Amino acid sequence: MQQWIRTEETEKTIELHRKEHRKNRTKNTSSWTSKHIYVCSRQGSCSISKYTKKTARGRKVPTKRIVTGCQCRLTVKTYPGTQQVLGCYTHEHSHPTGDANARFIRIPVDTRLRIAELLRMGVDRARVLQEVRGNVHTEDNLDGLRSHPSARNEFITAADIRQIEKDIEAETICLDAQDGQSTVEWVDNLRKHGELLGFKGSSDAPPSSSSLATDTFALCVQTKYQRECWTKWGGKFAGLDATHNTTHYQGMSLFTVMVRDEWGHGMTI
């Protein structure tokens, strides 16, 4: 069944998502044992987004969800005593398929794994992009463009490569699924390396005579390299800059102290 689905997706340039999986709870031994329901990825969900656009900017790629939904649907059932499965398939779509639908399909899992593998090996993003696309955009592939339908890999962009690279970077940045616990672990690591100047959690009592609010969060970091730069260049010039809403935490400010070297180049300390 899975092989048939992959073949159907490749030939029609579509994507089928498993929407539901049910198990038969009845005691009827002659009835089906499990049911799998697949729908077109452009079906969307029944929920209504509460997000309100703040600008009039459009998207480079339109949203793949169709307001009226897509009628394509596959229902597969398994039965006791046999490995054969039976399915009911509505193959018509409410949108064009083939090349016109290629940009609305997610990057295949095996391609994502290949991209991540190359990035972990230190391969440059431009080289990774060339590797996963192949020679699809060259004169050598002119006959191939005419003979087979478009594949999702042909539309991979540098932004797609960068997004996977950011996911890899997050593995070493996010030390825990919960932001609070991740911050605590970061503080422990910074303290072990002697790079923590001060830390106050939002639930910690403020230091005496600090005039800080009880729920204030403060984290002060200075690496050994930054400390050396401060010792060497801090006596000539030091600047302080505060940026607002640099993260998804409302009201969080990032303060940066900078010095200038003998060529006038700034560096954070």
Side-chain angles (χ1 to χ4, degrees):
M1 181 196 70
Q2 296 295 340
Q3 181 60 45
W4 181 89
I5 291 177
R6 286 192 292 268
T7 302
E8 179 74 3
E9 291 176 330
T10 302
E11 292 179 352
K12 295 186 177 181
T13 318
I14 61 174
E15 189 175 11
L16 297 175
H17 286 176
R18 191 174 75 170
K19 179 182 180 181
E20 192 174 348
H21 175 213
R22 303 178 187 173
K23 290 186 178 181
N24 195 348
R25 304 294 183 180
T26 65
K27 298 181 180 180
N28 187 357
T29 58
S30 61
S31 181
W32 55 271
T33 56
S34 64
K35 178 191 295 186
H36 304 261
I37 300 177
Y38 294 82
V39 296
C40 176
S41 62
R42 302 192 64 180
Q43 169 70 33
S45 61
C46 299
S47 60
I48 300 177
S49 176
K50 298 181 180 179
Y51 175 75
T52 302
K53 292 185 64 175
K54 299 178 177 61
T55 64
R57 293 194 300 266
R59 295 166 49 121
K60 292 183 179 179
V61 178
T63 177
K64 69 178 182 181
R65 292 179 173 83
I66 301 177
V67 177
T68 57
C70 180
Q71 58 186 345
C72 177
R73 185 182 182 91
L74 171 64
T75 303
V76 179
K77 294 182 180 180
T78 60
Y79 293 85
T82 177
Q83 295 183 352
Q84 187 178 14
V85 298
L86 297 180
C88 179
Y89 184 38
T90 302
H91 61 85
E92 294 87 2
H93 292 261
S94 304
H95 57 86
T97 58
D99 294 352
N101 196 54
R103 59 178 178 169
F104 297 107
I105 297 177
R106 292 187 302 179
I107 300 175
V109 176
D110 55 346
T111 303
R112 287 181 175 274
L113 294 176
R114 176 57 178 164
I115 293 174
E117 179 184 7
L118 293 173
L119 291 174
R120 294 180 192 277
M121 293 170 58
V123 180
D124 182 75
R125 290 199 298 267
R127 183 66 179 272
V128 174
L129 185 61
Q130 180 182 4
E131 174 75 18
V132 295
R133 278 183 172 179
N135 64 341
V136 63
H137 297 293
T138 64
E139 291 290 337
D140 297 336
N141 191 46
L142 185 60
D143 294 335
L145 291 175
R146 295 170 177 171
S147 60
H148 67 81
S150 299
R152 178 61 180 87
N153 289 358
E154 300 172 6
F155 297 91
I156 292 177
T157 63
D160 297 323
I161 305 296
R162 176 53 185 157
Q163 182 58 52
I164 296 176
E165 186 178 43
K166 289 169 64 177
D167 294 339
I168 296 175
E169 294 173 353
E171 296 176 0
T172 57
I173 296 175
C174 299
L175 304 183
D176 191 88
Q178 299 294 328
D179 290 348
Q181 182 59 34
S182 179
T183 302
V184 171
E185 295 188 20
W186 264 111
V187 169
D188 291 339
N189 291 339
L190 293 169
R191 185 179 290 109
K192 292 177 182 177
H193 290 85
E195 298 175 345
L196 180 69
L197 295 183
F199 170 68
K200 178 195 173 302
S202 56
S203 59
D204 298 335
S208 58
S209 304
S210 64
S211 301
L212 292 176
T214 305
D215 58 349
T216 298
F217 170 84
L219 176 61
C220 303
V221 178
Q222 186 180 51
T223 64
K224 295 178 180 178
Y225 172 76
Q226 291 173 331
R227 188 178 300 114
E228 293 179 2
C229 291
W230 171 253
T231 303
K232 187 174 183 180
W233 309 111
K236 296 182 178 180
F237 169 85
L240 177 66
D241 181 38
T243 54
H244 181 62
N245 285 343
T246 56
T247 69
H248 60 278
Y249 300 106
Q250 186 176 4
M252 181 75 70
S253 297
L254 172 65
F255 292 85
T256 305
V257 182
M258 299 189 65
V259 295
R260 289 190 302 201
D261 60 16
E262 56 186 344
W263 295 282
H265 298 160
M267 58 186 67
T268 59
I269 52 91

